[in-house]
Amino acid sequence: MNRTTSLDRTLSADKPFDVIIIGGGASGLGAAVDAAARGHSVALFEQADFAKATSSRSTKLVHGGVRYLQQGNISLVLEALRERGRLSKNAPHLVHSQAFVIPNYSWWEGPFYGIGMKVYDQLAGKLGLSPSRHLSRKQTIEKIPTVEQEKLAGGVIYHDGQFDDSRLAVNLAQTADELGAVMLNYCKCTKILKKDDVVSGVEVHDSENDQTFAVRGRSVINATGVFVDEIRKMDDQGTRKIIAVSQGIHLVLPKRFLPGEAAIMIPKTADGRVLFAVPWKDHVVVGTTDTPLKGYSLEPRALKEERDFVMTHACKYLTEDPTEADILSVFAGLRPLVKAKEGSDTAALSRDHSIIVSGSGLITLTGGKWTTYRKMAEDVIDQAETVAGLDHKRCCTEDMQIHGWTHAEIPQRNLEAYGTDALKIQNLIKSDPSLGERIHPAFSCQKAEVVWHAREEMARTVEDVLARRTRALLLNAAASIEAAPAVADLLAAELGRDDNWKEEQIRAYTRLAKGYVFSDPASTGHA
Ligand SMILES: Cc1cc2nc3c(=O)[nH]c(=O)nc-3n(C[C@H](O)[C@H](O)[C@H](O)COP(=O)(O)OP(=O)(O)OC[C@H]3O[C@@H](n4cnc5c(N)ncnc54)[C@H](O)[C@@H]3O)c2cc1C
């Protein structure tokens, strides 16, 4: 995947693309893969980096959604479980089975959640991971040695999937690129173009080269998450807002707070929320919240009350109470929830995906979740074919392998998430052993990975590497700031940048990462 080549292909296109996609998160990337796999010509434009927004800030679960089961939304759970199974097969290098234990502190919770999880197993059917079962108090403590033991009666264990969200995003971008799609990051859609009142393309601003150009397309898909109303307004000034924003935050703790392999799932906190504490990349991710916000931005910040909520519950369910000094990173993401009508509150909003076609033919895809990105893509490309009069071709992503696909064991654990690319990164180290050095003692990431990110994964900035190609920012924000100069050196050499660029990159990254350090509270929800 090469940015210069993609840009040249966009600028020299002599006929309209069949499908233009605005937004490079889960929704847009999935749509690009689907359309390109059907044989349509595709161009995708992302204003920042792939998965810069919500798609790098999830709880990292490939799941049916136990919470939706509680709400009785069986069709949503069923679809998500089906997609969980497909994604596990199509990206085995990124998705693995994760055990979750629901600790029970009342006599009725065991049978209650036990039956609920059996229904979950049944819905998953043949695509199920492992059957759920009841655990005695002793077995619960064996699985979660640090779970709060006072009044603990037992537990229920079940399985869901876990993944690396932004790495899947990069792999989807590579998959689409290999299928012939033009994939461009740092290209913002600034205008919807029309001919005879029908959408005919987009105007795009490339922030790297500071150039603006028009791209013609037979269909245009707006997959911009919490930003979809901005694009809808470009199409029709008078259109009503369809999105309500709900923020969710996570705290990252050292592994010692959850030393085993199982995660903790609290189906209902005192105020009715679902809470997870999940082992992830030798750390523990605890979250999340569901806080309605009026505004939105590319860099949302956790509110003090959200941090307090997660901390209080971490203390309640773990034997050792984490203190502020234990928090390695705090990250926030924004759910784009579709309003039924003006004034709905976020709890009552749809968690399902929606496709809306405007009078001029702009197709908006929003809502849903990472787990169901493939089905969302299938539905939106079916719609695009109808709206734009494209040849109707069958979706072929159900069993399609995603870039990096392999079942083979990767000998170097830190390279597991690269799948088949791991070998190529090892070859870089063979040809230059200095690339085997780590970028920082706190991270397993080796210098060769950064070279790979620049050459093959369209990483353009220090943030692209530390936040999304590796997960250093989420795993240890303070240490990631220390790693920034090494990453800037490697990127500058690959991208042909000078010392000024390096200094500016380190400054910008430091500013950003300070917002992920726990001691830097926000009051507005925005950076
Ligand atoms: C706290 C939290 C936890 C979650 N946990 C899970 C989970 O565990 N499992 C799960 O399945 N789902 C989870 N989700 C849901 C999932 O993360 C989202 O459904 C998904 O990431 C949304 O992807 P998207 O592509 O629609 O939006 P986004 O990822 O926000 O992508 C939209 C993109 O559009 C770009 N854009 C905006 N304007 C423009 C423009 N003018 N031009 C070009 N580009 C533009 C943005 O920069 C952005 O990258 C979670 C969500 C949240 C908030």
Side-chain angles (χ1 to χ4, degrees), residues 23 25-27 46-47 53-55 58-59 61 189 335 368-371:
S27 307
E46 162 55 49
Q47 65 175 350
T54 306
S55 297
S58 77
T59 313
L61 304 182
C189 167
R335 298 179 188 87
K369 47 190 189 157
W370 242 122
T371 307

Side-chain angles (χ1 to χ4, degrees), residues 22-28 45-49 51-55 57-63 163 187-189 223-227 231 234 246-250 288 298 333-336 365-372:
I22 316 167
S27 307
F45 303 104
E46 162 55 49
Q47 65 175 350
D49 184 26
K52 159 75 184 178
T54 306
S55 297
R57 299 153 188 273
S58 77
T59 313
K60 331 292 179 205
L61 304 182
V62 182
H63 62 158
F163 76 132
C187 278
K188 178 173 182 163
C189 167
T224 53
V226 292
F227 301 84
I231 305 288
M234 291 179 193
S246 165
Q247 176 159 286
I249 74 139
H250 296 88
T288 181
L298 265 181
L334 302 178
R335 298 179 188 87
L365 170 66
T366 190
K369 47 190 189 157
W370 242 122
T371 307
T372 53

Side-chain angles (χ1 to χ4, degrees), residues 69-385:
L69 192 63
Q70 284 174 332
Q71 294 164 353
N73 196 339
I74 301 290
S75 62
L76 186 61
V77 178
L78 199 58
E79 178 172 282
L81 285 172
R82 218 177 278 141
E83 290 304 320
R84 181 188 74 174
R86 287 181 180 139
L87 188 53
S88 311
K89 283 191 178 148
N90 297 338
H93 60 299
L94 286 179
V95 181
H96 66 266
S97 175
Q98 169 67 51
F100 289 81
V101 172
I102 305 175
N104 304 149
Y105 292 95
S106 309
W107 66 267
W108 57 269
E109 286 180 326
F112 182 78
Y113 292 120
I115 292 167
M117 297 323 298
K118 282 289 168 219
V119 174
Y120 199 64
D121 291 347
Q122 289 285 321
L123 290 173
K126 277 196 298 217
L127 291 172
L129 299 171
S130 291
S132 62
R133 65 189 162 88
H134 181 74
L135 297 178
S136 66
R137 177 185 151 89
K138 186 165 165 271
Q139 287 169 323
T140 305
I141 296 168
E142 270 164 22
K143 291 276 175 210
I144 315 271
T146 50
V147 73
E148 182 53 61
Q149 292 173 19
E150 203 185 319
K151 297 196 181 143
L152 181 73
V156 175
I157 187 166
Y158 73 97
H159 289 78
D160 248 329
Q162 188 189 44
F163 76 132
D164 179 337
D165 48 12
S166 58
R167 192 128 274 294
L168 177 59
V170 170
N171 281 173
L172 286 173
Q174 289 170 303
T175 307
D177 173 83
E178 284 152 13
L179 290 164
V182 168
M183 307 298 287
L184 276 167
N185 53 7
Y186 296 99
C187 278
K188 178 173 182 163
C189 167
T190 46
K191 220 182 251 175
I192 298 290
L193 305 177
K194 291 185 189 165
K195 198 170 170 208
D196 302 328
D197 291 333
V198 174
V199 169
S200 63
V202 292
E203 182 187 270
V204 169
H205 179 252
D206 167 11
S207 58
E208 260 199 16
N209 300 303
D210 193 19
Q211 59 171 346
T212 300
F213 48 88
V215 187
R216 290 175 302 144
R218 295 175 67 188
S219 64
V220 175
I221 296 174
N222 170 17
T224 53
V226 292
F227 301 84
V228 291
D229 284 327
E230 289 181 19
I231 305 288
R232 281 164 47 79
K233 275 230 158 16
M234 291 179 193
D235 170 45
D236 173 6
Q237 266 304 319
T239 194
R240 78 171 175 92
K241 281 191 177 173
I242 55 165
I243 289 298
V245 176
S246 165
Q247 176 159 286
I249 74 139
H250 296 88
L251 304 182
V252 179
L253 297 171
K255 180 82 177 114
R256 73 168 195 277
F257 286 94
L258 203 58
E261 286 183 3
I264 300 178
M265 194 271 200
I266 308 297
K268 204 165 188 183
T269 58
D271 51 355
R273 304 189 215 186
V274 177
L275 198 87
F276 292 100
V278 194
W280 189 61
K281 296 187 184 286
D282 286 330
H283 292 70
V284 184
V285 176
V286 191
T288 181
T289 53
D290 203 342
T291 313
L293 283 193
K294 284 222 159 52
Y296 56 86
S297 74
L298 265 181
E299 270 302 328
R301 288 282 175 269
L303 299 172
K304 184 172 179 318
E305 62 259 33
E306 292 181 293
R307 295 172 176 206
D308 292 347
F309 169 83
V310 178
M311 275 298 264
T312 306
H313 283 81
C315 294
K316 186 169 170 191
Y317 291 102
L318 297 174
T319 40
E320 184 189 349
D321 289 357
T323 65
E324 291 192 6
D326 294 312
I327 310 295
L328 297 171
S329 187
V330 184
F331 62 96
L334 302 178
R335 298 179 188 87
L337 302 178
V338 182
K339 298 193 227 184
K341 56 180 184 305
E342 219 74 51
S344 314
D345 72 14
T346 58
L349 298 173
S350 173
R351 312 261 157 176
D352 220 338
H353 67 273
S354 298
I355 297 174
I356 298 157
V357 184
S358 76
S360 57
L362 175 71
I363 304 162
T364 296
L365 170 66
T366 190
K369 47 190 189 157
W370 242 122
T371 307
T372 53
Y373 85 92
R374 192 212 62 81
K375 182 69 174 77
M376 292 166 66
E378 176 178 348
D379 292 350
V380 81
I381 299 305
D382 283 348
Q383 189 66 250
E385 287 177 340

